[in-house]
Structures are given as structure tokens and as C-alpha cells.
Amino acid sequence: MSRKTRIDLSDMSRRDGEPIGHVDLQDLMPLPAPLDDPARERPWTPLNPQARARYECILDDTCAVSVPKPATKEEETELVRQFLSGLDKLFTRENNWTFLQPLLLSMEHCARCQTCADACHIYEASGRNEIYRPTYRSEIMRRLYFKCVKHGGMISAWQHGDVDVNWPMVARLIELAYRCNLCRRCAQTCPIGVDNGLIAHELRKLFSQEMGIAAKEIHDTGSMLQLKVGSSTGMSAEVVKDNIQFIDEETSERTGITVETPWDVEGAEVLLIHNAGEILAWPENPGAFALILNAAGISWTLSSELAGYDSINYGLWYDDAQFARVAIKHAEAAKKLKVGKIVLGECGHAHKALSVIADRVLTGELNIPRESSMTLLRDIVASGRLKLDPSRNDFPVTLHDPCNMVRLMGVVEPQREIIRAICPKFREMEPHGVDNYCCGGGSGFAIMSGHNFPDWRFHVSGRKKLEQVLNAFGDCLDPSIPKYLCAPCSNCKGQFRDMLAYYDLWEKNRILYGGLVELIVNAMSEVKPGFIEWEWH
Ligand code: SF4
Ligand code: SF4
């Protein structure tokens, strides 16, 4: 039974200790075949009572951050004080050198036209659940800004609306900041440039930088681990070198071409930085990169410096200080090797972190040229340096656009030029390019698996993308036809791996996911046929 009720902004401050919103399966946006069959709808795992007793789970039916309940009234008061102090800092030039200007614009203006709501996949897929409306979160923030930062008083409260500032409101806002993929599809459609995604980001930043609260997967086992051992996967330089050696051997055997990855080559033209998750989860991806770059005669290297072999920078999603620390490590690795440029492997958030946002951090000698692997690969394919046989990719292929790389950087065509050249059965998702939808794993969700949060990301945040994938392959869902969902981003691949498995779309409908370089190697004439093995992993 649906528990959809009218939700008000004032519900955020309710002190009854209960969730203010619910997600019921019958309210969700319907999916096309084969997931229009109720028998294939997976049930939602309820949050267990221990989690509810221990953590602040008072927003909806899941929990992403696991904020412990304060033990005393004093502790609650102190947390609210920290929140208000952080809120003030978000609006000062000295403390918010990154995003003050667009944040102010987003606070001062909103025409309340709700164009952004129609653009948001989470809001639409949830069945238009009020707490996921992009402006629900933003309107709370706006009221806080006018009340607690500008100290507008009663006339301002009457003009802009009031909000009751207490611990339940702050606790719910922490969770609500993690119900947005930071995909900025809403910002793209807003007629006056308000950025609801940025507001969610700035809230996460406040919670991390001022209160020490962040999702543990992106902070403790993300940024912190990376800065300590060199990679958020936990791989040290010795371990990553061992793994790459193994990958070289595997790739050589599989392709019939000897592959050797160069390490720490001083003066190389290209320092390639992979998302290190590829090395562990999808080794065929770094293997394919090595084969292509060697075959094309590129002067390239990997780096064994701390963080130099892992392009991950989770700070992008929650904390400017952690972001800057990791970005500087990346640039220092490149500077030490005196390379011509850094090329980012197939990882969307790493693209945006190091190419765009790091521009505000990397100055002087650290401002080393950075390039997307999409353009480098396009140039290699277009140059004719590889002999390519498109008939080897004679199966349906569709392409996912990672938000960070495509909408937020404008890298739209290079990957398409490659795919059009080597995949005769390529079909676009609709919409695509800068109008794409997030995979649902963006902003850290793909690696966040606490409690029943995966249920939320498969049923709600990933639902719109799932609809797109099923529509793209709607004419060939039969399991006798293998299909390839190309996702040139490690984070998106993680979301697709988990979501396709959750809905059994590999076993029952033969939808495989993978990267772009695998398709290139699969089409190379001098490689043994069958680089793509059509196996689930
Ligand atoms: S589209 Fe922009 S102006 Fe319209 S409601 Fe959304 S944020 Fe406000
Ligand atoms: S950034 Fe994306 S997920 Fe977040 S509110 Fe906007 S459209 Fe929705």
C-alpha cells in the first residue's frame, strides 16, 4: 500500500523520530519490458531495527551516512552549533574559495517554475516523491541562508519562509544531501542558472569540513586510504605493479600480442592514470589500454608514486580540502616524471576532478596539461594507426554518457566517433549526450552499500537509466542476442554491474556492460578474435 502523504518543508524539523518520506514500490515510475513483469520486481529490504535504534534514519526508508544518534541533549546542541558555524563559513570568501559565487546566485534566485523537477531522474523515478524534488532540499537551504546567515528577521521570514533549526532538521539534511547524484541535469535546465546539485554538494562539504560527517565509503575507505597507501582500493605501489604484470601476461595470452606496461618513464609524453578500481575489478580495461597505446606508438607510462596510479578523487563529491590534497598528489606524480601531459583513463569523476575543478588548485609548475583518454583514443583510431575490423563488433551496442565527462565537461563526440567507426549496430539511448541521465551511482552511490542503500539506488536513483538501457535494446531483448552496454567510466560500470545483476539482466537477457577500449581491441584485426569474452564479472 502506498504511504504517500503530503510532505511539507516544516516536516524536516519534526521531533517524532520517524521518517518523513516513504518509498513504496507501487509509486515508482513503471519500467518497460522485461521489467514490466511484476514477478521480476525485487522487494525492498527494510532497514533493520538495530540500525534505526543506533543511527539517524529519519528521512526516508534507507540510510546512507549512518550518523550516530547523539547521546545527550548537550551533544545535540553542539552539533547544531557546528552546523550553523559551517553554514556561515559557506558564505564567506575566505572559507569557500571554490563555489561561493554560484552558491550565492542559487540562494538569492529561484523562480519556482519547477523545470528542474522535471529534469531530475530521482524525482521522476521515485514517482515524484516530494522529499526528492530538487527544490525541496534547496528551499530548506535557502530559508537557512536568509534566517541564519543574513539574519533577516521577521520580515525576511515572512518573505522567504521560516525553518525551525534543530537537530532532527540537521540530521535529515545530512541524509538528504546524499539523495542527489550531483549530476547537474537540473542546473542545465534551470532558466536562471540555479544549481540544485551544487547546493547538495555544498551541504555535504559543510558536514564533512565542519562536523567530520561523511559517508565512510568515500572518506574513510576513500580519500583517507588513498592518501595513506596510494589508492582507495588499498593497493600499495608494490601490489599494483604485481597486478599490472599479471594483467600484461593475461592480455598477451588473450590477444596473441606481447603487452608490457611501462612504469615511471621519465620524460614520457603521456602519464596515464587509471581509476585503480579497473585494475582489480575489470583488468581487461587497463590491459586493452596498454595494448592500444603500444600499438599506436605512444610514449606513455604509469606512475608508482603515492596516488599517481589511482585517478580517484572522491573529495570532488564531499570535501574541498580532501579534493585539493589528492589533486596535488596527482600533479606531483606527473611533475616528478616530467611528462608532457596527464591522460585520464575511463573514469568520469576523475576527468572532472583533475581537468576542471583542479584548475583552481594546480598553479605554476603543477599546472600540467591534462587530457581525456576519449580524445587521445579518437585521434589514434582516426589516424589509421590500428587496423580495425568493425565486423568483429557485430552485436548491438549502446553508449552511456558519464555525467562528469559529458554534461559537465562537454566530451560528447570523441567516444561516438570511435563507436560509429567500429560498431555497426550502435544505437543511442534517448536522450543522450549532455541531456543524458545519470547511471544512478554518481557522487559516490556506486560504492555505498550500507544497510539497504543499494535497494534505493537500484529502485530509485538508477531507475531512469535502467529504462533507457531497456528501451535502447527493446528490439533485441532475446537472450540469444548478446548486447553490449558501453560505459567508459569505472564508477558507472560499478553501478551497472550491480544493477544488471540485481534485475538478472545478464542471465535472462544477455546484457553485458564494459568499457570503450575493450570494443577497440575486440575490433583490432591483428588481435586473436574474441577479446570480449561475454562472461559476467
Ligand atoms: S528550474 Fe531554477 S528557477 Fe525553476 S524551480 Fe528549479 S531552481 Fe528554481
Ligand atoms: S543534480 Fe541530478 S540528482 Fe541532484 S537534484 Fe539535480 S537532477 Fe536531481
Side-chain angles (χ1 to χ4, degrees), residues 116 119-123 132-134 137 179-187 195-198 200:
C116 53
C120 176
H121 59 291
I122 291 180
Y123 180 61
Y132 304 138
R133 182 191 289 276
R137 184 189 303 104
R179 297 295 185 279
C180 165
N181 282 121
L182 309 183
C183 74
R184 306 269 169 48
R185 196 170 194 271
C186 54
D195 190 340
N196 293 298
L198 176 72

Side-chain angles (χ1 to χ4, degrees), residues 21-34:
H22 293 286
V23 181
D24 292 305
L25 295 185
Q26 71 264 40
D27 294 332
L28 301 179
M29 181 192 82
L31 287 170

Side-chain angles (χ1 to χ4, degrees), residues 51-52 54-59 63 66-70 167 171 175:
R52 286 207 181 280
R54 195 162 162 209
Y55 303 114
E56 294 290 11
C57 308
I58 53 174
L59 177 73
C63 180
S66 297
V67 179
K69 290 191 174 178
W167 169 245
E175 282 293 324

Side-chain angles (χ1 to χ4, degrees), residues 106 109-119 133-135 138-139 142 186-196 199:
S106 299
H109 306 284
C110 173
R112 296 186 169 79
C113 63
Q114 298 307 328
T115 311
C116 53
D118 291 335
R133 182 191 289 276
T135 50
S138 302
E139 198 49 42
R142 211 167 273 126
C186 54
Q188 182 171 260
T189 61
C190 174
I192 53 176
V194 172
D195 190 340
N196 293 298
I199 292 170

Side-chain angles (χ1 to χ4, degrees), residues 472-529:
F473 290 136
D475 62 339
C476 55
L477 284 168
D478 192 282
S480 64
I481 307 168
K483 298 158 277 288
Y484 194 90
L485 162 56
C486 176
C489 169
S490 198
N491 191 68
C492 304
K493 275 195 302 202
Q495 166 76 353
F496 284 127
R497 174 193 56 205
D498 298 349
M499 190 160 64
L500 296 178
Y502 187 84
Y503 290 104
D504 222 0
L505 289 163
W506 165 245
E507 287 298 332
K508 297 218 168 94
N509 301 92
R510 280 290 179 272
I511 301 178
L512 189 69
Y513 70 96
L516 177 63
V517 282
E518 293 89 319
L519 283 171
I520 298 175
V521 173
N522 202 55
M524 284 173 69
S525 310
E526 60 263 55
V527 161
K528 273 197 250 169

Side-chain angles (χ1 to χ4, degrees), residues 260-475:
E260 267 180 54
T261 292
W263 281 98
D264 298 319
V265 180
E266 218 179 284
E269 175 54 22
V270 166
L271 167 62
L272 177 66
I273 315 186
H274 291 294
N275 175 318
E278 298 286 319
I279 295 163
L280 292 182
W282 301 287
E284 61 284 357
N285 185 280
F289 260 107
L291 193 148
I292 292 167
L293 296 184
N294 288 348
I298 304 287
S299 149
W300 72 287
T301 186
L302 297 188
S303 161
S304 62
E305 282 296 303
L306 188 95
Y309 51 92
D310 186 2
S311 64
I312 284 173
N313 191 342
Y314 292 152
L316 180 77
W317 297 323
Y318 77 102
D319 189 310
D320 290 348
Q322 304 307 340
F323 167 81
R325 294 172 75 198
V326 173
I328 288 169
K329 291 279 175 226
H330 288 145
E332 282 174 348
K335 184 179 155 218
K336 187 170 176 194
L337 289 174
K338 302 186 183 73
V339 295
K341 62 186 168 189
I342 296 171
V343 169
L344 291 150
E346 294 189 11
C347 177
H349 93 271
H351 267 67
K352 188 178 155 211
L354 202 58
S355 310
V356 181
I357 308 296
D359 254 354
R360 299 167 200 208
V361 180
L362 305 178
T363 53
E365 286 189 318
L366 289 181
N367 195 4
I368 292 152
R370 282 95 73 194
E371 186 183 345
S372 166
S373 53
M374 299 297 109
T375 46
L376 179 67
L377 291 166
R378 187 267 320 271
D379 291 350
I380 291 171
V381 168
S383 72
R385 274 177 276 174
L386 310 177
K387 279 205 192 78
L388 296 163
D389 174 5
S391 72
R392 291 191 177 195
N393 284 336
D394 192 27
F395 41 82
V397 174
T398 194
L399 175 68
H400 166 64
D401 289 302
C403 302
N404 282 298
M405 184 193 292
V406 178
R407 176 166 35 259
L408 303 172
M409 284 181 67
V411 183
V412 180
E413 278 301 309
Q415 57 275 39
R416 290 184 158 73
E417 286 173 34
I418 296 168
I419 291 189
R420 284 188 210 113
I422 62 171
C423 300
K425 292 187 177 163
F426 172 55
R427 70 271 312 277
E428 291 276 16
M429 293 186 203
E430 294 302 336
H432 57 266
V434 295
D435 295 323
N436 78 315
Y437 285 102
C438 174
C439 64
S443 82
F445 292 176
I447 54 162
M448 289 164 60
S449 311
H451 310 290
N452 62 353
F453 193 66
D455 283 296
W456 188 85
R457 70 180 159 96
F458 305 144
H459 281 294
V460 182
S461 65
R463 198 170 188 86
K464 194 69 192 168
K465 180 54 65 176
L466 196 56
E467 179 192 53
Q468 283 196 287
V469 172
L470 295 176
N471 283 337
F473 290 136
D475 62 339

